[in-house]
Amino acid sequence: MRQPRSRVVPFVTARTFARSLNLPTRSAWRAWVKTHRADLDANGVPSRPEIAYEKKGWQEWTDWLKAGKRTVGSRRYAPKEFMSFREWSAWVAQQGFKRKEDYNDWCKEHRAERSTLGVPSSPALIYAEFPGWNVALGKTAPRDKGRLPAAYVPFREARAFARSLKLSSARDWREWARRTASRQLLDTYRIPTTPDRVAAYRQDFRGWRDFLGTDTRPTISRKR
């Protein structure tokens, strides 16, 4: 009997997963796919993205992988790992940027230096701790305690992401979250690996069945 096809996630989600692998070429992607079919199925990522997303966002392999060597004049350089969030915050303060646009302009005009230093062009997608541009640039103070930590997205967004994975239990979630690629994906989307322990989610978290979308029973108001 032919196995049913796994659900394919949206293009942007799949591309973020692919980029987290840091594969340099299409050939490297093909080789990785041969030994990681289970990871692809668990994340809802197709092995042939150029076909699955042909009219849904697909551009080319360099965009899909966002890796490999880039050329600056006659010199080639390999992308470096990004600096830590603390290092990045200190660097931004040292540069004295006044606006987000100033930061973006610097990144465009200093691509070689940015790669050498490990400065991300989109820090909000790289750092789970990213507090927003106003805080990063020193315009406002960090959020007050008791409000949703800047590290995590609102509960509903986290739950929607979790449900898109089609996992069956808390055990399945923990096993999925332990994978390196999965943790990188969670960091990118600012989703906690242990949502049941996040204080800001406490009022909304109604158990793993609800969080993963496996509870089909009618919702019953709880007694306070």
Side-chain angles (χ1 to χ4, degrees):
M1 180 182 294
R2 186 177 181 180
Q3 295 295 326
R5 296 182 63 183
S6 59
R7 180 180 180 276
V8 176
V9 297
F11 172 75
V12 174
T13 302
R15 185 177 63 179
T16 299
F17 174 88
R19 289 179 175 181
S20 73
L21 302 175
N22 294 318
L23 300 173
T25 64
R26 178 176 59 180
S27 297
W29 167 264
R30 299 286 191 221
W32 186 88
V33 165
K34 290 180 181 179
T35 56
H36 294 78
R37 290 282 181 177
D39 285 334
L40 286 178
D41 292 339
N43 287 283
V45 178
S47 60
R48 297 293 300 277
E50 74 275 28
I51 296 176
Y53 301 117
E54 183 179 6
K55 297 181 179 180
K56 300 178 181 179
W58 176 265
Q59 297 180 42
E60 56 185 3
W61 283 99
T62 54
D63 174 74
W64 174 254
L65 299 174
K66 203 69 173 182
K69 294 183 177 180
R70 302 180 182 181
T71 303
V72 176
S74 59
R75 178 173 174 266
R76 287 183 175 272
Y77 62 93
K80 179 184 177 180
E81 291 185 0
F82 296 120
M83 58 176 64
S84 68
F85 178 71
R86 285 188 178 183
E87 293 172 332
W88 179 82
S89 297
W91 180 84
V92 168
Q94 185 179 27
Q95 295 299 314
F97 298 122
K98 301 299 182 182
R99 305 174 303 156
K100 174 184 176 182
E101 289 74 17
D102 295 336
Y103 180 89
N104 292 338
D105 290 341
W106 185 93
C107 289
K108 292 177 182 178
E109 297 171 2
H110 301 81
R111 292 184 179 181
E113 185 178 354
R114 176 167 63 80
S115 179
T116 300
L117 294 174
V119 176
S121 59
S122 301
L125 298 179
I126 300 300
Y127 301 121
E129 308 96 321
F130 186 77
W133 280 105
N134 285 337
V135 176
L137 297 177
K139 293 183 178 180
T140 59
R143 295 182 178 183
D144 297 332
K145 293 181 179 180
R147 301 179 70 179
L148 183 67
Y152 302 132
V153 297
F155 174 78
R156 289 186 178 182
E157 292 183 28
R159 184 175 62 181
F161 174 88
R163 290 182 175 183
S164 73
L165 300 176
K166 301 299 182 182
L167 300 175
S168 301
S169 65
R171 180 179 180 181
D172 290 343
W173 168 269
R174 295 188 183 99
E175 290 180 353
W176 178 86
R178 276 199 292 267
R179 299 168 186 162
T180 300
S182 298
R183 290 183 71 88
Q184 292 174 336
L185 193 63
L186 289 174
D187 288 344
T188 298
Y189 282 95
R190 298 187 295 126
I191 297 172
T193 57
T194 54
D196 54 326
R197 299 179 185 178
V198 175
Y201 289 179
R202 191 167 298 159
Q203 292 184 343
D204 298 307
F205 193 87
R206 299 180 179 178
W208 284 101
R209 290 172 62 88
D210 173 74
F211 187 70
L212 298 175
T214 58
D215 191 349
T216 57
R217 295 172 299 176
T219 301
I220 301 176
S221 300
R222 292 185 173 188
K223 295 182 179 180
R224 294 185 179 277

